[in-house]
Amino acid sequence: MDFSPTQEQAALKESARRLCERDYGFEQRRHRIRGAEGFSRDLWKTFADLGWLGAGLSEDDFGYGGGPVETALLQEEFGRVLLVEPYLSCAIIAARAVVALGDPAQKEALLAPLVAGEKLIALAHNEAAMRGDDAAVRTEARLTADGWRLEGRKAFVLGGSSADILLVSARTPGGVSLFEVPADAAGLEVVAYHAVDGRRVADLMLTDVAVDDAARIGPEGGALPGIELAVDHGVIALMAECVGAMDAALWLTRDYLTTRKQFGVTLNTFQALQHRMADMLVETELARSMLLRGIAALSDPDPRARRAGVSAAKVQIAEAAVKVTGEAIQMHGGIGVTEEYVVGHFYKRAVLARGLFGSIDLHLERFAAWSRKAVA
Amino acid sequence: MNFDLDPADAAFQAEMRAFIRQALPADIARRGRQGFHATHDDVQAWMRILNARGLAAVHWPRQHGGTDWSPLRRHLFQVELRAAGTPVPDQAALELVGPVIYTFGDEVQKARYLPAILNADTFWCQGFSEPNSGSDLASLKTRAVRDGDHYVVNGQKTWTSEAHKADMMFALVRTDGEARPQAGISFLLIDMKSPGVSVRPIYTINEGLSVNEVFLDNVRVPAENLVGEENRGWGYAKFLLTNERTMSAETPHTAFDLEQVKQIAAVERRGGRPLIEDPLFAARLARFEIELRALEAAVLRVLHMGENDPALNATASVLKLRGSELRQRIADLAVEALGDHGLAVFPDVEGQDNMDVLAPVPPAPDYAAGWLSRAMFRRATTIYGGANEIQRTIIAKSVLGL
Ligand SMILES: Cc1cc2nc3c(=O)[nH]c(=O)nc-3n(C[C@H](O)[C@H](O)[C@H](O)COP(=O)(O)OP(=O)(O)OC[C@H]3O[C@@H](n4cnc5c(N)ncnc54)[C@H](O)[C@@H]3O)c2cc1C
């Protein structure tokens, strides 16, 4: 075992920290969120130039030889500044779906432009009734003489509003299949809206959307394992954001307490608050540790063990994030609940992370089912 | 002991329920269920309906336009108002400044301000907190200097709820800079239209507007707007805050929320069954409901205690602390029950105080609207009205004698 980052990993983290500090001030972020697309295309281009869009992909997959560790290092930095660019949805989840399911030609056609920042791709798998149960796909694809016809509705698709290409899962005779659908396909309606944490998301209405069989990514009826793997990568990456957000909220609060005065002294002198800060640190350090186990779980060859490890990370880290960032608001007093100050936005991201890809309850169940089996 | 509701009280409750059902306009009720901040017009319309029946301020003494109902009946009326989703009235006026005026104000002030409060002709805001005086309120710096028959007020208030809609502000101002902090404060009624008053909105994390900064720049306030005696304002403020504390459990609000969450959980499904049948979710809901029952019992105990009951102080302190936490947790539970819908921003399209009027409305069932906004705003319930840390200090010091 070795928990220390390699030189390259340390350098990647360092450059992400520097860029975020320089180009991702809270005011700049606010400006981006209110813009038409809700994020900065220029910054996306910079990410591509820096190699970040392929930082977590192997060279065979048109990346730069990294993996989930590199992804997590970047995501933690992105969490600190509450990044809203579609990194999670495009460079992690969609990319992982293609890696898991695409044939060599599809990988080249999709991953090369994704990594170059030329195309935005999103995985449109989630549906309103799914609630983290990835098998519960209701969107259907019908085979016709000249390809497939898709019908159904996708919900809360991360990065869905700006994607050039949507990877849409649908039920086919053999099970769940995945299809590449261009954003301008006839019969596809994209309804964009705002998620709690400043990201844009979209619902997709698919009405008799036609695609050829060549647009199918992965085996007919056999896409679910690949989709689940992609989602698992997404969950862990989101938990890495949480660790960054918690850590930032923790130290911001610490600094605030040392400057804010009430009753003639700075707030940090009150032991009631010191102990609460200490608990926040405990939660943050445990979350950081759990993240490593979550990253390790991603390469478990047994899918059930992998999913259980991911669920464990989600429960521990997301709950800690809600708690720590909520405490950060409380200890700021009134300023903490304002839209114009950053601390409340850490909480918003934590709330998103807790709810996305299945509730805490779902992940507890998933972990318990696996753990139970180990006893038998 | 007897824990049953008296038949007469039960009949009273049924009568109030029927009255509210018949009197509350349907569109106001619908907006009430969405849980955004009520609009000025809805509050005013509803207050006037109540006032026409003499029910605008049932907890006020009868001679000032209130009732002689027992504390229990006042509470039951609150429960029914909440359960119907009526707009939350101008609490700054009804709960806070009204009682100060009828207790410490002069006859002119009573005649001028109280009827206008009851009929929602004037809306009020509370100008206590300042940028550097939050928990340590007594350190406030806004100055009022006597100049003939006026006070000239300079300073800044902040977190002033509803200042952007208010006609009047009741403010704590420093009239004696030499005295001990608490001894130099006066209680002044300031017309928000006076020259020198300016209001800057502060948007809160629900993307709505309810709090403001209020700048007071050489504002001339007639001396007749001083309540009670000069430099006695701290005492009136303490009276006001104590009144607030017993009200602050807000169990009727929480009970109303809980009913709505149950309805959501009966419709939203996970793993092939309604959430309400999902053992994990059902257990959390049950635990919540049980805690609420305990708190409701605490509220009823307080209502039946005499003012001099030694247990009153301890029990009343529990109300604000746990009540504010439950307010927070029920909205959070709703967000979880709603799944992805709970994570989408719903703009308050019918409201007046939305930050981003252009934000799109997410495609989702009607019952999802407003919950995320509530959950976000309710991070403030443990901060305003004396932060929970301060409440704990009060319990430790004045109840436990530590
Ligand atoms: C939504 C909202 C509406 C409001 N409406 C009004 C209004 O209408 N009128 C009005 O006058 N005010 C209003 N307030 C202000 C409110 O009363 C103050 O925010 C509150 O008193 C806390 O003060 P502060 O924000 O300055 O926090 P601070 O006093 O700076 O406190 C920051 C943190 O330190 C803690 N702390 C402070 N002192 C101690 C101590 N001795 N020991 C342990 N912990 C301590 C606090 O509990 C808090 O967690 C409102 C606030 C909010 C958020």
Side-chain angles (χ1 to χ4, degrees):
Chain A
M1 274 190 190
D2 180 6
F3 284 100
S4 46
T6 64
Q7 249 179 7
E8 289 79 17
Q9 288 166 345
L12 179 68
K13 186 180 170 73
E14 189 47 37
S15 74
R17 168 92 42 119
R18 258 186 285 117
L19 182 115
C20 288
E21 277 175 2
R22 198 190 62 213
D23 292 338
Y24 228 88
F26 187 58
E27 279 310 309
Q28 289 154 304
R29 176 183 189 269
R30 279 174 62 135
H31 187 70
R32 281 177 193 135
I33 290 178
R34 304 268 165 251
E37 276 204 298
F39 70 94
S40 159
R41 290 262 177 189
D42 288 346
L43 201 64
W44 194 253
K45 185 85 191 54
T46 307
F47 284 13
D49 294 345
L50 289 166
W52 292 359
L53 302 182
L57 299 175
S58 71
E59 284 165 8
D60 289 345
D61 294 324
F62 302 89
Y64 300 101
V69 172
E70 282 72 13
T71 303
L73 289 172
L74 284 175
Q75 282 287 100
E76 190 183 327
E77 294 309 315
F78 295 162
R80 306 180 77 83
V81 295
L82 300 168
L83 193 97
V84 291
E85 278 60 24
Y87 193 85
L88 174 66
S89 57
C90 178
I92 300 169
I93 301 174
R96 282 286 161 186
V98 176
V99 168
L101 294 166
D103 62 30
Q106 287 170 328
K107 282 187 189 176
E108 179 162 8
L110 292 168
L111 293 176
L114 182 157
V115 169
E118 290 154 7
K119 283 232 160 23
L120 286 171
I121 309 182
L123 176 67
H125 173 57
N126 187 50
E127 298 180 12
M130 202 176 256
R131 285 182 170 257
D133 177 4
D134 292 302
V137 175
R138 290 195 192 158
T139 298
E140 286 188 3
R142 221 166 10 96
L143 191 57
T144 63
D146 46 11
W148 297 89
R149 298 290 176 130
L150 281 83
E151 186 85 29
R153 183 165 186 151
K154 295 290 173 181
F156 214 86
V157 175
L158 289 179
S161 55
S162 295
D164 304 294
I165 297 166
L166 295 146
L167 308 177
V168 180
S169 63
R171 191 153 291 287
T172 54
V176 174
S177 306
L178 191 67
F179 299 93
E180 176 188 337
V181 178
D184 58 4
L188 171 64
E189 192 194 342
V190 178
V191 179
Y193 50 98
H194 299 194
V196 54
D197 71 334
R199 277 184 245 248
R200 295 287 165 91
V201 290
D203 278 17
L204 311 182
M205 270 72 92
L206 299 122
T207 318
D208 206 24
V209 174
V211 293
D212 355 305
D213 195 47
R216 179 169 47 76
I217 301 177
E220 189 276 308
L224 193 56
I227 292 171
E228 288 182 346
L229 179 60
V231 170
D232 284 356
H233 275 272
V235 172
I236 294 303
L238 186 59
M239 292 309 112
E241 273 185 53
C242 280
V243 170
M246 284 161 86
D247 193 66
L250 168 73
W251 291 99
L252 182 71
T253 307
R254 179 232 178 242
D255 289 348
Y256 186 76
L257 294 186
T258 60
T259 50
R260 169 76 175 167
K261 274 189 167 176
Q262 287 292 278
F263 304 100
V265 292
T266 49
L267 294 176
N268 65 297
T269 54
F270 298 123
Q271 201 167 47
L273 300 183
Q274 290 173 358
H275 285 186
R276 302 254 296 272
M277 287 293 310
D279 285 338
M280 285 164 70
L281 182 104
V282 169
E283 292 290 349
T284 306
E285 284 306 315
L286 283 178
R288 189 183 291 290
S289 309
M290 192 62 163
L291 178 62
L292 301 177
R293 290 196 85 143
I295 294 170
L298 286 175
S299 50
D300 196 313
D302 171 5
R304 288 197 67 199
R306 181 194 81 224
R307 295 223 106 185
V310 169
S311 289
K314 158 110 184 193
V315 170
Q316 180 74 27
I317 300 168
E319 289 207 318
V322 170
K323 196 157 143 198
V324 167
T325 55
E327 283 282 85
I329 292 179
Q330 180 69 22
M331 281 190 253
H332 273 81
I335 183 90
V337 296
T338 63
E339 188 71 22
E340 30 195 90
Y341 184 68
V342 64
V343 79
H345 296 265
F346 290 120
Y347 178 73
K348 290 186 177 193
R349 180 137 299 181
V351 167
L352 181 97
R354 180 186 62 186
L356 205 60
F357 306 124
S359 63
I360 297 295
D361 288 353
L362 173 118
H363 289 282
L364 282 171
E365 270 173 9
R366 202 175 271 169
F367 182 83
W370 172 82
S371 164
R372 204 160 46 227
K373 207 170 161 232
V375 173
Chain B
M1 289 191 185
N2 168 14
F3 305 121
D4 293 333
L5 199 58
D6 225 273
D9 287 332
F12 164 86
Q13 183 170 20
E15 186 196 327
M16 287 303 125
R17 182 174 304 169
F19 155 66
I20 294 166
R21 187 167 302 159
Q22 162 267 314
L24 181 66
D27 58 327
I28 296 184
R30 182 177 54 77
R31 284 190 285 275
R33 278 192 296 274
Q34 291 194 340
F36 293 115
H37 289 292
T39 63
H40 182 279
D41 292 353
D42 280 359
V43 172
Q44 192 168 53
W46 177 239
M47 280 288 293
R48 286 178 178 173
I49 290 170
L50 289 179
N51 195 35
R53 294 274 299 237
L55 299 178
V58 299
H59 55 297
W60 289 13
R62 197 178 193 116
Q63 76 262 33
H64 301 302
T67 65
D68 46 18
W69 293 355
S70 66
L72 177 65
R73 287 196 174 187
R74 276 145 41 184
H75 175 69
L76 292 175
F77 185 55
Q78 274 301 317
V79 169
E80 293 306 322
L81 287 172
R82 280 302 104 235
T86 63
V88 178
D90 177 5
Q91 286 175 309
L94 290 167
E95 312 297 340
L96 306 180
V97 76
V100 168
I101 291 175
Y102 66 63
T103 310
F104 303 105
D106 60 33
E107 293 310 315
V108 178
Q109 289 168 343
K110 289 180 202 168
R112 179 153 172 212
Y113 297 118
L114 298 180
I117 288 176
L118 294 174
N119 202 44
D121 296 333
T122 49
F123 279 59
W124 288 74
C125 63
Q126 175 186 22
F128 283 15
S129 305
E130 298 182 5
N132 291 314
S133 305
S135 298
D136 181 15
L137 186 57
S139 68
L140 62 91
K141 293 205 173 54
T142 296
R143 268 177 308 114
V145 178
R146 187 73 184 245
D147 176 24
D149 53 5
H150 281 80
Y151 285 99
V152 179
V153 182
N154 278 289
Q156 185 195 338
K157 295 293 175 181
T158 193
W159 313 124
T160 321
S161 296
E162 308 302 312
H164 59 299
K165 294 178 190 164
D167 305 291
M168 295 290 295
M169 170 195 264
F170 56 98
L172 293 182
V173 293
R174 190 160 298 287
T175 35
D176 182 351
E178 305 297 307
R180 178 175 80 77
Q182 286 85 348
I185 292 172
S186 297
F187 197 105
L188 211 53
L189 310 179
I190 302 176
D191 187 333
M192 293 296 280
K193 284 184 285 297
S194 317
V197 176
S198 51
V199 177
R200 186 187 82 86
I202 305 175
Y203 286 94
T204 41
I205 55 175
N206 56 326
E207 304 198 359
L209 170 58
S210 63
V211 292
N212 303 269
E213 289 182 294
V214 178
F215 299 90
L216 302 153
D217 181 19
N218 282 319
V219 179
R220 295 185 68 81
V221 179
E224 68 208 37
N225 285 16
L226 177 77
V227 175
E229 289 174 48
E230 203 176 80
N231 298 328
R232 287 284 183 85
W234 188 252
Y236 312 143
K238 270 175 66 181
F239 161 86
L240 168 157
L241 293 170
T242 313
N243 271 353
E244 196 182 5
R245 189 173 59 162
T246 16
M247 290 299 300
S248 63
E250 295 196 317
T251 50
H253 280 82
T254 307
F256 175 60
D257 287 354
L258 176 66
E259 275 318 303
Q260 286 183 287
V261 174
K262 281 183 175 171
Q263 283 166 20
I264 291 170
V267 179
E268 288 285 325
R269 302 171 74 85
R270 186 173 81 80
R273 62 187 160 198
L275 269 187
I276 205 157
E277 291 168 23
D278 170 348
L280 288 176
F281 191 83
R284 281 200 286 155
L285 205 57
R287 191 171 288 282
F288 186 89
E289 191 166 355
I290 289 165
E291 272 194 66
L292 179 60
R293 284 182 165 223
L295 192 69
E296 282 170 342
V299 170
L300 293 172
R301 265 175 78 205
V302 168
L303 293 175
H304 284 84
M305 280 175 189
E307 269 175 39
N308 301 317
D309 191 319
L312 178 69
N313 205 14
T315 320
S317 301
V318 171
L319 301 184
K320 154 76 176 129
L321 252 187
R322 192 48 65 86
S324 59
E325 289 169 3
L326 289 185
R327 296 281 288 144
Q328 239 166 41
R329 275 171 46 204
I330 190 66
D332 203 39
L333 205 55
V335 164
E336 289 203 61
L338 286 165
D340 296 332
H341 298 317
L343 305 174
V345 174
F346 279 78
D348 176 11
V349 280
E350 289 180 79
Q352 298 158 328
D353 301 322
N354 203 27
M355 184 173 80
D356 184 357
V357 284
L358 298 176
V361 178
D366 278 351
Y367 57 73
W371 278 107
L372 177 69
S373 164
R374 270 185 256 191
M376 289 301 144
F377 190 71
R378 293 220 187 130
R379 299 314 303 180
T381 58
T382 49
I383 295 171
Y384 58 58
N388 281 14
E389 291 71 25
I390 302 303
Q391 302 295 337
R392 288 193 178 88
T393 302
I394 293 173
I395 293 176
K397 287 205 172 131
S398 75
V399 184
L400 295 168
L402 293 172

